[in-house]
Amino acid sequence: MRLATWNVNSIRSRLDRVVSWLDRADIDVLAMQETKCRDDQFPTERFEEAGYEVAHTGLSQWNGVAIASRVGLDDIEITFPGQPGFDKDAETSLLAAPIVEARAIGATCGGVRVWSLYIPNGRALNDPHYTYKLEWLAALRDSGAQWLTADPRTQIALCGDWNIAPTDDDVWSPEFFRGKTHVSQPERDAFDAIVATGYADLLRRFAPGPGIYTYWDYTQLRFPRREGMKIDFILASPALAARAKDAMVDREERKGKGASDHAPVVVELAD
């Protein structure tokens, strides 16, 4: 099985590119983030024509996650247990409860429980969104640990844009990012806490070291200057990690007109 994750940064803007890549890269399952559309706007037919079933959740032009699979798509779950919501005006809001955003969708594909996750950005260290991000990650850690406790043999892939660079090797300049989100110690600790429950970072296993990035800002010629960040990951449960043969970043998909600012991460799994 070839499993991939990709922040597509608007599926309607990059539909041709994504569908073409699925065929060229021979992908069985793709977890997508930032689809940026409602469910009724998602181009399901194009994926079905290409041989894929699709599950999607999207509430507006922001966020949105999806899974496309040609090896089955069962037991679809929107949000994970305990997933927190966000209300930027919490102190003055009339909302009964914060809105649970379209940031997580799970489905079983060819025997693997695949989650497409778009972790909150955080925005700034003093922003309410940063607190929300840490709460979101803590809830994911708890759910992820419970899944492994319930069945240590379960095959789970936590795929997505984590908006965290876990080490200094994962950014082009630690000094540039000092005092900003994505690299703060609480965020890194939250990522490590999920790994500590038993999930393996497959990209780090097969492509370690500095200079391997998954995201490059559109500004300041970041991509041609190789000034990127590694913030997209596939974390695998022990049983799934045992099947992993390879993992890589398809940097070519960040090139050319109309590219997403993220590149796909691809994992090769043994049968």
Side-chain angles (χ1 to χ4, degrees), residues 120-122 125 130 133-134 137 163-164 180-192:
N121 178 285
L125 299 184
Y130 179 78
K133 179 179 189 174
L134 296 179
L137 288 161
N163 274 314
I164 299 171
K180 300 177 182 177
T181 61
H182 293 56
V183 301
S184 72
Q185 197 58 52
E187 290 168 285
R188 289 178 166 178
D189 289 346
F191 183 92
D192 290 343

Side-chain angles (χ1 to χ4, degrees), residues 27-95:
I27 300 299
D28 294 301
V29 183
L30 173 63
M32 291 171 274
Q33 301 84 43
E34 277 204 281
T35 57
K36 294 185 176 180
C37 64
R38 302 187 309 267
D39 289 347
D40 63 304
Q41 297 172 316
F42 190 89
T44 300
E45 290 185 2
R46 283 291 302 279
F47 285 89
E48 291 177 342
E49 291 169 357
Y52 292 83
E53 298 177 83
V54 177
H56 174 261
T57 181
L59 305 177
S60 66
Q61 73 272 30
W62 309 112
N63 308 319
V65 285
I67 299 171
S69 172
R70 64 181 185 185
V71 292
L73 191 72
D74 302 308
D75 302 322
I76 298 166
E77 190 174 358
I78 306 298
T79 75
F80 57 84
Q83 180 178 326
F86 179 68
D87 180 5
K88 64 183 178 65
D89 301 314
E91 293 183 359
T92 59
S93 177
L94 298 178
L95 293 174

Side-chain angles (χ1 to χ4, degrees), residues 220-268:
Q220 305 295 319
L221 298 175
R222 295 293 185 210
F223 183 68
R225 291 179 176 176
R226 297 181 177 271
E227 296 175 349
M229 307 175 72
K230 186 192 293 181
I231 59 175
D232 302 85
F233 301 94
I234 296 177
L235 302 189
S237 65
L240 185 64
R243 294 177 56 194
K245 298 168 58 180
D246 195 13
M248 52 85 71
V249 179
D250 192 345
R251 190 175 182 276
E252 293 298 307
E253 287 305 310
R254 180 58 177 82
K255 297 179 179 179
K257 185 178 180 180
S260 170
D261 45 2
H262 294 251
V265 174
V266 182
V267 168
E268 183 80 29

Side-chain angles (χ1 to χ4, degrees), residues 184-228:
S184 72
Q185 197 58 52
E187 290 168 285
R188 289 178 166 178
D189 289 346
F191 183 92
D192 290 343
I194 295 173
V195 173
T197 66
Y199 292 88
D201 176 357
L202 297 182
L203 188 57
R204 189 167 308 284
R205 175 185 293 183
F206 292 99
I212 298 173
Y213 306 129
T214 65
Y215 165 83
W216 301 259
D217 196 301
Y218 287 128
T219 64
Q220 305 295 319
L221 298 175
R222 295 293 185 210
F223 183 68
R225 291 179 176 176
R226 297 181 177 271
E227 296 175 349

